[in-house]
Amino acid sequence: MSRPANPVTLPLADYSPQHFLLAVVDGVATVTLNRPERKNPLTFESYRELTDFFRACAFDDAVKTVVVAGAGGNFSSGGDVFEIIGPLVKMDTKGLTAFTRMTGDLVKAMRACPQPIVAAVEGICAGAGAIVAMASDMRLAASGAKVAFLFNKVGLAGCDMGACAILPRIIGQSRASELLYTGRFMTAEEGERWGFFSRLVTPEQVLPQAQLLAKQIAEGPTFANTMTKRMLAMEWAMSVEEAIEAEAVAQALCMTTADFERAFQAFANKVKPVFRGD
């Protein structure tokens, strides 16, 4: 579990990851899990590199949004059975705790990443792969996609990587409980009906549609979008009164940006505003 010697460098458009593909176009960074022959499982190294990447996003103003996808028709089958699960059964409590905290760090990094994250889900999306989709801000699904939080199936609790905190907030307590207690697959149609997915599209369109959505968001006011993501997270633990006050302060800050004035000038001149992120 030693740290890979491939530190994330800026700008991200010039960074070459070892454990996933990365392309930055028009402010949208597309992360592609790229082990299609194994349905894109995660390894010790890819967990760390993905975590480092999402943390680095905070320092690259050229990246406005992030898309996460999988290569070869599947999103991710979760932790690699041979490269992760096998070694885990030989670890002591200290080593296992270090591992579970490391995996949780990926979710923390995704939630702390200021850029909105869109998951383009097709095929198998299971275990830690389902967690990555869950930790994204929005999820689009290809018809035929299947999502399972498989921890129960391997003798573990469903409380992994924030699942018990985040999943019920997306699909509700009862439905989340069913998935976490049984480990069964949720179909794409169920996922859309339950609110896990924003929409269903064809497999050929899931990545282009996710990138289009990300581009539309990237063209918006960057500071304001960052504030929206931050408040969506912070208000989980607030009363309604506290949330209203926090939003008042956040919105007042947004009103000091040049993008806010640009929007007014564009409206006054009956043209579409061009936001610059300041």
Side-chain angles (χ1 to χ4, degrees):
M1 291 175 61
S2 60
R3 175 168 289 276
N6 187 39
V8 178
T9 55
L10 300 177
L12 291 171
D14 296 335
Y15 174 59
S16 298
Q18 292 182 353
H19 304 288
F20 56 89
L21 301 179
L22 176 63
V24 180
V25 179
D26 295 332
V28 178
T30 299
V31 170
T32 305
L33 306 177
N34 189 39
R35 299 179 68 198
E37 71 285 355
R38 301 277 294 277
K39 299 179 181 177
N40 307 315
L42 298 175
T43 65
F44 295 124
E45 293 77 15
S46 60
Y47 269 118
R48 290 195 183 92
E49 192 169 40
L50 285 165
T51 300
D52 290 347
F53 165 78
F54 281 110
R55 286 174 175 161
C57 284
F59 303 101
D60 193 336
D61 291 340
V63 173
K64 308 296 185 182
T65 52
V66 180
V67 172
V68 183
N74 292 289
F75 188 74
S76 173
S77 57
D80 190 290
V81 173
F82 298 103
E83 294 188 38
I84 287 186
I85 307 301
L88 289 181
V89 299
K90 301 175 183 178
M91 288 185 190
D92 60 13
T93 301
K94 182 178 179 180
L96 291 168
T97 304
F99 168 75
T100 53
R101 284 177 174 156
M102 179 194 73
T103 61
D105 281 345
L106 173 55
V107 175
K108 291 179 184 178
M110 292 179 70
R111 300 313 308 146
C113 168
Q115 292 88 344
I117 303 169
V118 183
V121 179
E122 61 178 323
I124 297 299
C125 176
I131 295 288
V132 170
M134 177 197 76
S136 301
D137 298 286
M138 294 150 279
R139 291 155 293 277
L140 274 60
S143 54
K146 299 191 297 182
V147 180
F149 298 83
L150 291 174
F151 312 109
N152 172 277
K153 294 291 189 181
V154 296
L156 298 176
C159 58
D160 199 26
M161 300 174 70
C164 287
I166 301 174
L167 189 60
R169 289 179 165 92
I170 300 173
I171 65 174
Q173 188 80 11
S174 180
R175 288 166 173 163
S177 297
E178 178 186 338
L179 295 183
L180 295 176
Y181 278 122
T182 66
R184 76 166 179 86
F185 277 98
M186 171 178 63
T187 66
E189 291 73 21
E190 281 180 313
E192 184 192 34
R193 191 168 68 247
W194 290 1
F196 189 80
F197 293 119
S198 300
R199 71 184 84 141
L200 298 182
V201 297
T202 64
E204 296 76 19
Q205 283 298 306
V206 66
L207 180 56
Q209 286 294 313
Q211 290 173 323
L212 178 60
L213 175 59
K215 187 173 185 295
Q216 291 171 338
I217 296 170
E219 291 172 348
T222 304
F223 181 85
N225 287 341
T226 296
M227 191 64 73
T228 298
K229 177 167 181 174
R230 185 167 297 153
M231 297 312 294
L232 281 167
M234 289 176 60
E235 291 181 36
W236 282 3
M238 292 181 183
S239 67
V240 174
E241 290 78 9
E242 290 170 331
I244 291 171
E245 173 61 21
E247 289 188 2
V249 175
Q251 199 69 300
L253 286 173
C254 291
M255 290 173 181
T256 67
T257 63
D259 273 345
F260 178 62
E261 184 175 352
R262 289 187 188 102
F264 168 73
Q265 295 296 339
F267 179 81
N269 292 298
K270 298 182 179 180
V271 296
K272 183 180 178 180
V274 178
F275 295 113
R276 299 179 184 173
D278 58 344

